[in-house]
Structures are given as structure tokens and as C-alpha cells.
Amino acid sequence: MQEISTTKLRKIALSKQGLLSANSFGSGVSAVECAIKQLGYVQIDTISVVERAHHHVVWSRVSSYRADHLATLVSQKKIFEYWFHAAAFLPIEDFRFALPRMQAIKAGEKHWFENIDKKLIRYVHRRIENEGPLLARDFTDTRQTNTGWWDWKPAKQALEKLFMQGDLMVVGREGFQKRYDLTERVLPAATDTRLPGIDEQAQHLVDTTIRAHGFSGLKSFSYLRKGKELRSAIKQCVQANIEQGKLIEVHTPSGDLFYCDVNLLEKKFRAGKQVRLLSPFDNLVIQRERCRQVFDFDYQIECYVPAAKRQFGYFCLPILFGDNLVGRMDCKADRKSRTLHVKYLQHSVDSEQFVQSLGKSLLEFMKFNACDSVLVEHALNPGLKRRLQKVLKDSKTG
């Protein structure tokens, strides 16, 4: 076992995540494809206080990103929608590793909905088979009442059931509504559809995690995945990779244990001093324990926390400065007034370089959210707020 500093771990993680230097994946739609392959997945989320998470995560790594790039890759059959630890865009090469979950749901594993009318499922499937790709709204809801967003009409439930069990795939979206078609018509002919065994599944999770982060704790390999058999297989896989000289066990001065790609230990990494405003669902920060261990940053998205108990705001964005997470910014994009509101700003640094870079990143984030102005409403440090407002003003008039 070898000791490693958290500074080195941070640089390894940021480098593998494509966040250590600008546009490390290149530009345009090909860069978006490279980024998704490297990260292993990009989480899809419905919250639109600022630009949705899947767009935000990619934009943080590919500055030339446009909202139609993901749709282009779906239409080109280079990525697909399914489940990683949450709804996500995945490389099409990884389709076979979604098959165990699909088959489990088809065999009766509980998902969102139970007791869906089998006749309705056959009816929905038959209509898509005969008519081609359809949206949920193409099916009429005959009920008299609707009790809320999650009270999906029966046909929508049937569509999601067919999607989750692998009979349908998403071929595009209108707004945020999925358009479904038969998997057999969507999946590229050359796609590997062999069902992976548990050992293959474990190796895939280990490979994906190490490729995306460079290192991992044992629990992180199976993040939000159930099953003692899988966890046991991952443990055996990690041990085999150590014996083969691919991974090495390392520990931080505080005693946290990780398994690291041996090729990264002697590699030199150089971090700039730019600010990046990350999505709460960014691959770098989604695992709270790892965030604490590596970045000494206790981050929690608070949109699921009762308003009275929130510390930093409904949708606070982690602030990355150079190679460290240094604060949070609660933002909201008002599309009517085209104003990006900074409702709360908390930070642990206030150097002039930080303020200047934060101002530049805020203006870029403003444009990404199709806004024309930034309004800083509250900051933990009033002095920094004044300096930041001056930077924003000077940048717009300069």
C-alpha cells in the first residue's frame, strides 16, 4: 500500500473528468461523444432552474457545446438513454451492460409502476410497431382526473415499462417528452447484445469508474447498485486487477483507502486557476462521501431538502477553482427577463484572481442559460459581492 496526497488525487480526478484544462475533449459534437465515453454516463435530470443537468455537465467540459449535440448523437445511434445509477445518456458500446437490468424488470423486478394492464402494454407496443415512433401524448388519457405530475396516464406508464424492460428505446425528444420506437428498429446491427455474466458486469463497472476518475473506493464501484453477489464480484475483480499490476491500493494521510490506476501515480498534472460552475449532478460531485474524502467538501443538493432546512439554496452549484471545490452558488435563470439570478454565494477564497475568474465564468454561464444579465442578490461576503459586481460591469462595458 502506498500513501498519496489528496492534492494528487484531486488532480487525477479532475484530469480524468476533463476538468483540469479547457476543452480537453476538443470541440463540437465529436467532443461530446468523447466526453460521454470517458465519463461513462451523463445523468439526465428534469429540473430546469438553470439549464438541465445533462446539458450543463457536457458544457462544463466542451465549451462549444450546443443543446442539439446530444440529440444528434442519439439520432446517429452513438449514445442511448437508459439507467446507470439514474437516468442517463450512455455510450452505445455499453448497451449490453444494460441488459441485466432490462431482463430483471421484464422478469418482475419492482420499478416505478406495478400492475400495469398487460392488454394496455400489448396495445402500446402494437401501435408503435405499426405506426412508428410515438410520444406519450399520442395516446389519449381517458381518465377524468389527474392528481399531479407523478400521476402519469396509463399509456405513459406502459411506455416506461416497455422502455425499462428493453422493448422500446428513446429515439429523440420534443421538449422534454421522449419519443419511443422498437428496440429492434433502433439498435445498430453490429451492437453486442450478449448478456454479460456477473464477473463481466463487475469488470465493466471497475473499468468505467477508473477510466472516469482514475481511482475509487470499493463502495464507489457499485454506487447505488444493489446485490451482494455484484459487490462480491467487484471485490474479486479489484483484487485481480491489483495482482495483474493494473491497480494499486493507496491511502491518504487521513486513512481513506482507494484503488488507483498505477499509470497515474507518477504522472504530472498541471491545474490552471479558472472557475467552473458545476451542475449538482456533475459526475465529479455526485458521490457525497468521495467529495468529502478527496476535496474536503461536504456537498448536498438541497432541492429535496425542506425549504426551512436549506443552508445554501434550492439548486446550489459547486464552484470549482483550479483543483479544488471552494464554494456554492444558488442560481436561477429567469427566462422571461433573461436574467441570471445569483440568489446566494458562499466561498472559501476571495483572491483577486478568484473574483476575476468567477466573474468571467458567470458571464459565460449567463450566455449558456440564454440570459443577458447577471443579478447578484446575496453573498456571504458583502465585500466580494461588490468586487464581483464591478468585474461583471467592467466585463460587459469593456
Side-chain angles (χ1 to χ4, degrees):
M1 188 185 295
Q2 182 173 328
E3 183 170 290
I4 190 169
S5 69
T6 52
T7 299
K8 183 62 177 283
L9 285 177
R10 290 198 302 267
K11 289 180 179 179
I12 288 174
L14 291 167
S15 175
K16 300 299 282 185
Q17 283 281 304
L19 292 169
L20 201 59
S21 58
N23 295 314
S24 57
F25 296 112
S27 62
V29 69
S30 62
V32 177
E33 181 185 6
C34 287
I36 294 174
K37 286 182 178 181
Q38 175 70 15
L39 299 176
Y41 75 96
V42 169
Q43 185 167 336
I44 301 170
D45 196 70
T46 60
I47 298 173
S48 59
V49 175
V50 292
E51 186 59 87
R52 287 188 171 98
H54 42 289
H55 298 305
H56 189 169
V57 169
V58 179
W59 173 80
S60 295
R61 294 156 173 82
V62 183
S63 63
S64 61
Y65 174 74
R66 298 196 316 263
D68 63 345
H69 283 164
L70 287 171
T72 297
L73 289 172
V74 170
S75 68
Q76 292 175 347
K77 302 182 180 182
K78 292 181 177 178
I79 62 174
F80 72 106
E81 287 193 32
Y82 196 63
W83 204 262
F84 194 71
H85 66 258
F89 288 106
L90 301 153
I92 196 67
E93 294 85 354
D94 291 350
F95 180 82
R96 67 184 294 246
F97 296 103
L99 290 173
R101 185 182 184 92
M102 292 176 181
Q103 293 200 2
I105 291 173
K106 182 172 280 193
E109 182 180 282
K110 183 183 289 189
H111 190 50
W112 290 322
F113 308 117
E114 297 182 77
N115 303 318
I116 302 174
D117 188 337
K118 291 182 179 180
K119 289 183 179 179
L120 176 61
I121 290 177
R122 289 196 294 269
Y123 166 74
V124 168
H125 188 278
R126 187 166 58 251
R127 276 198 58 187
I128 292 176
E129 183 179 22
N130 294 334
E131 300 175 36
L134 294 175
L135 302 156
R137 68 169 179 249
D138 294 320
F139 297 86
T140 303
D141 187 358
T142 58
R143 294 173 303 156
Q144 299 300 310
T145 61
N146 189 297
T147 60
W149 189 84
W150 279 105
D151 188 17
W152 286 354
K153 59 188 180 181
K156 173 62 177 174
Q157 296 179 14
L159 285 165
E160 280 298 297
K161 171 75 170 175
L162 288 164
F163 166 69
M164 288 302 300
Q165 67 186 31
D167 294 311
L168 300 180
M169 292 181 71
V170 175
V171 293
R173 288 176 178 260
E174 287 189 17
F176 206 65
Q177 281 203 30
K178 300 173 186 174
R179 185 180 293 279
Y180 304 85
D181 199 1
L182 301 184
T183 296
E184 62 203 58
R185 293 200 292 233
V186 178
L187 204 59
T191 305
D192 188 347
T193 56
R194 293 172 299 153
L195 182 69
I198 193 71
D199 292 336
E200 285 183 287
Q201 192 81 352
Q203 185 67 62
H204 171 68
L205 290 173
V206 170
D207 290 343
T208 299
T209 304
I210 295 298
R211 184 180 66 245
H213 299 281
F215 63 90
S216 177
L218 198 58
K219 287 195 300 184
S220 292
F221 288 118
S222 58
Y223 179 64
L224 293 184
R225 293 174 186 261
K226 299 177 181 178
K228 290 182 180 180
E229 187 182 8
L230 178 61
R231 289 196 294 272
S232 177
I234 287 173
K235 191 173 182 178
Q236 294 176 31
C237 176
V238 168
Q239 185 58 42
N241 277 257
I242 291 173
E243 293 170 0
Q244 294 164 17
K246 297 177 181 178
L247 298 178
I248 185 171
E249 189 173 6
V250 297
H251 67 92
T252 64
S254 62
D256 294 314
L257 300 179
F258 297 101
Y259 300 93
C260 184
D261 182 340
V262 295
N263 297 314
L264 299 175
L265 291 180
E266 302 302 323
K267 189 173 181 179
K268 303 296 182 183
F269 299 95
R270 185 177 178 181
K273 281 295 182 181
Q274 71 274 17
V275 165
R276 298 180 194 268
L277 304 176
L278 302 180
S279 167
F281 298 99
D282 196 281
N283 300 50
L284 183 73
V285 301
I286 196 67
Q287 293 193 37
R288 189 176 180 183
E289 182 178 1
R290 186 173 61 199
C291 233
R292 283 198 301 261
Q293 292 172 329
V294 178
F295 291 92
D296 192 24
F297 189 72
D298 190 7
Y299 176 73
Q300 179 184 17
I301 183 172
E302 297 186 338
C303 56
Y304 307 117
V305 175
K309 295 183 178 181
R310 291 176 193 145
Q311 289 182 277
F312 305 109
Y314 178 81
F315 204 67
C316 53
L317 314 179
I319 302 173
L320 177 67
F321 179 46
D323 66 354
N324 213 351
L325 293 164
V326 300
R328 304 159 180 81
M329 180 181 291
D330 186 33
C331 291
K332 181 176 181 179
D334 186 330
R335 273 80 182 190
K336 289 184 178 180
S337 67
R338 296 179 67 89
T339 301
L340 178 66
H341 293 262
V342 178
K343 301 170 76 65
Y344 185 81
L345 171 61
Q346 175 269 334
H347 51 90
S348 59
V349 295
D350 64 355
S351 66
E352 189 58 31
Q353 187 176 27
F354 171 70
V355 177
Q356 292 288 334
S357 187
L358 178 60
K360 179 182 177 183
S361 294
L362 255 179
L363 290 173
E364 291 170 351
F365 193 61
M366 172 194 79
K367 294 174 184 176
F368 173 61
N369 281 277
C371 291
D372 299 322
S373 61
V374 178
L375 178 62
V376 182
E377 297 178 10
H378 179 72
L380 193 62
N381 183 331
L384 185 138
K385 175 183 174 179
R386 289 191 294 271
R387 289 156 61 200
L388 179 59
Q389 287 174 321
K390 185 177 185 305
V391 169
L392 294 169
K393 181 180 179 181
D394 291 347
S395 297
K396 291 200 74 175
T397 58

